[in-house]
Amino acid sequence: MNRNALKGFAVDIGGTKTAVARIEQGKIVEHLVTPTDGDADLEGHLQSFAQQLGRVGYRSGELLGVAVTGRVTRSGKWSAVNSGTLRAIEGVPLGAVLKARFGEACCCNDAAAAAYSEAMFGAGEDCPIFVYVTVSTGVGGGLVVDGKLIESSRGLAGHLGFVTGPGANLICGSGRRGTVESIAAGRAIAAAAEDAGHPDFDARKVFEAARSGSHWADEIIDRSSQAIASLCADTAATLDPDCIAIGGGIGLADGYLSRVRAHLANEPELFRVPLLPAVLGSDGPLLGALALAVTRRHQ
Ligand code: BMX
């Protein structure tokens, strides 16, 4: 896909922030970010981002890609997998409502969208089998094989945060016990800080504390990075990717990828998949959602 030909609008509803963007010639030319309301229902999310889209110049009929945290079924139904992140989104008709309200619009999972744009224009450009992992509010993922995003009818394909990991034993919002998300994600890092006696520490403050030499904070971040390293090694035994790109606010935090690489180095050589930082950063889900809208329009 020619990135320069990418023109339209995109929305990224993440677990913590919702971004809207106007995209021209494959670049984000206008961009607004607001907090995500984890208690909002479908109408609440729609009204919130529709207002923001108007502020970046969206007009009805323009091509729109919407990336969301949670799974999106092939029929466009949107559900949280981790109900702790989105408390009022279960089986809602996102695809149908987008088409009714906005005309030319498509919806997909946020990490899948980022995987697609990283495969098309970013870290995965030269990887026939490419895996993207976001470590952010949750831990998400996307799988792109020979330029095609792997999507399943239930929308769960690529949800790598819900595999179980080493040292994890907590019940996750997905209902599983010991998931990678329950030990590695931003919300898990904040919960571990609270358990360590620091109730008002979000992930960013835990990273700051670790940089200032706090052993408790360093341990929490190390457990997170170890779980992600183990997840990366596991993918070698499933898809055997040519590379894995790590993105998300935690994934791209200073020193985090080095920690993951250090833990991955303890795995047998065969399971040390090359790791790269995501190139597109927080633009990834926005560019990927619009790129998927273009791809699907031609299908
Ligand atoms: C969770 C899951 C994924 C999402 C990932 C990263 C929910 C609500 N989300 O694993 O669908 O891709 O988090 O999401 O179940 P983010 O909120 O960190 O962007």
Side-chain angles (χ1 to χ4, degrees):
M1 175 179 286
N2 172 10
R3 177 174 178 176
N4 293 328
L6 214 46
K7 176 176 168 49
F9 292 80
V11 177
D12 171 18
I13 302 179
T16 301
K17 290 178 285 195
T18 293
V20 301
R22 179 158 62 86
I23 294 162
E24 286 184 3
Q25 294 176 323
K27 292 215 176 3
I28 290 180
V29 293
E30 279 203 72
H31 184 248
L32 288 175
V33 180
T34 51
T36 296
D37 175 359
D39 294 314
D41 60 8
L42 175 59
E43 188 57 33
H45 285 293
L46 279 169
Q47 284 185 15
S48 168
F49 75 67
Q51 184 188 30
Q52 298 294 89
L53 275 174
R55 292 177 59 196
V56 295
Y58 172 81
R59 295 287 173 271
S60 181
E62 304 253 17
L63 190 60
L64 176 65
V66 178
V68 294
T69 185
R71 66 186 176 91
V72 179
T73 67
R74 191 156 285 144
S75 62
K77 292 281 176 56
W78 177 27
S79 302
V81 183
N82 187 333
S83 53
T85 303
L86 294 178
R87 290 170 285 280
I89 299 296
E90 178 58 39
V92 299
L94 176 62
V97 173
L98 284 177
K99 280 196 174 22
R101 296 272 184 94
F102 299 96
E104 284 248 57
C106 103
C107 52
C108 59
N109 167 262
D110 57 355
Y116 193 61
S117 57
E118 289 287 345
M120 293 292 117
F121 325 119
E125 269 186 309
D126 304 321
C127 297
I129 300 181
F130 174 66
V131 171
Y132 171 80
V133 175
T134 179
V135 189
S136 35
T137 308
V139 172
L143 317 169
V144 181
V145 177
D146 294 334
K148 185 171 174 4
L149 180 67
I150 304 298
E151 295 182 287
S152 56
S153 55
R154 296 187 305 159
L156 203 54
H159 273 76
L160 301 174
F162 300 116
V163 302
T164 52
N169 192 33
L170 297 172
I171 291 281
C172 163
S174 65
R176 291 201 83 190
R177 179 181 289 279
T179 60
V180 169
E181 177 156 310
S182 68
I183 194 169
R187 292 179 67 231
I189 289 172
E194 183 167 8
D195 291 347
H198 305 276
D200 54 348
F201 273 57
D202 62 9
R204 188 181 45 76
K205 285 178 75 175
V206 174
F207 273 83
E208 281 170 11
R211 272 196 295 274
S212 314
S214 299
H215 181 64
W216 66 267
D218 188 75
E219 270 204 331
I220 290 172
I221 295 169
D222 214 51
R223 279 201 300 270
S224 166
S225 59
Q226 177 152 21
I228 297 298
S230 175
L231 170 64
C232 292
D234 287 354
T235 66
T238 51
L239 271 179
D240 192 13
D242 299 286
C243 80
I244 300 174
I246 307 283
I250 309 285
L252 292 171
D254 283 352
Y256 189 83
L257 183 55
S258 306
R259 288 174 182 257
V260 176
R261 284 184 170 134
H263 286 297
L264 189 59
N266 297 329
E267 295 281 355
E269 168 68 30
L270 196 58
F271 297 89
R272 295 179 206 155
V273 181
L275 303 184
L276 301 168
V279 166
L280 303 171
S282 58
D283 292 352
L286 293 161
L287 294 170
L290 185 59
L292 280 166
V294 171
T295 300
R296 290 176 183 171
R297 186 165 64 171
H298 293 126
Q299 278 172 349

